[in-house]
Amino acid sequence: MRPVPTGRLFRTATGGDLVLSRTFRAPLTDVWASITEPERTARWFGPWEGEAAPGRTLRVRMAFEEQAPWCDLRIDACEPPRRLAVAMPDEAGTWRMELLLSERRGATELRLVQHLDTDEGLGEIGPGWEYYLDLLVASRDGSPRPDFGEYYPALKGYFDGLLASPVT
């Protein structure tokens, strides 16, 4: 499988928003469950533990980074079944993300938005999110798990190219 990048970069007053999307032939509530229920998120994003509620911090281990330690993930907002906003601090700063869902004619679109303070590392960040979203697709439809080697460095040039022509 050769992945097709969906990422777009939108300029904002504070930096930029990297937006990636996937569409599922499924009800909104079912896709919401895939991104919020622990047994379902463990299949594609990674296991998590803790009490999930706005203002709370969970512990998560991302699926592809199996050798990495557990990290903190703070829930900033949860508006079932349409919006989940989270933040993940690391040594480089804080990753601020939203998962936004909308349903139309029996299909649900999931948009992952990463709010960027800087463009640094976009060529690495974008392929990673494409990979994780395709892990979600595979976890839902039973298709084989994708190979990260198909995403990085193959999609790096695409995401680096977004810096030259972001949407304003």
Side-chain angles (χ1 to χ4, degrees), residues 49-71:
E49 55 190 33
E51 185 180 335
R56 299 283 187 153
T57 298
L58 306 172
R59 303 274 299 146
V60 65
R61 188 177 69 215
M62 295 175 72
F64 182 69
E65 290 82 6
E66 291 179 10
Q67 303 305 318
W70 289 73
C71 59

Side-chain angles (χ1 to χ4, degrees), residues 1 3 11 27-28 81 96 139 143:
M1 174 188 124
R11 289 286 176 218
L28 182 72
R96 297 172 297 114
S139 77
S143 60

Side-chain angles (χ1 to χ4, degrees), residues 22-37 40-41 44 81 100-102 107-110 136 140:
R22 297 294 183 277
T23 301
F24 303 92
R25 285 235 158 271
L28 182 72
T29 54
D30 185 51
V31 179
W32 177 259
S34 291
I35 65 170
T36 59
E37 293 179 2
R40 292 180 75 178
T41 60
W44 68 276
L100 306 169
L101 290 85
S102 60
T108 298
E109 180 188 30
L110 168 66
L136 171 59
R140 291 184 52 81

Side-chain angles (χ1 to χ4, degrees), residues 89-122:
D90 70 8
E91 65 279 350
T94 299
W95 293 45
R96 297 172 297 114
M97 296 160 286
E98 291 184 86
L99 295 168
L100 306 169
L101 290 85
S102 60
E103 185 176 11
R104 185 170 182 215
R105 295 186 186 141
T108 298
E109 180 188 30
L110 168 66
R111 287 184 301 136
L112 182 149
V113 180
Q114 182 169 354
H115 303 291
L116 304 166
D117 297 325
T118 175
D119 295 335
E120 194 171 316
L122 189 63

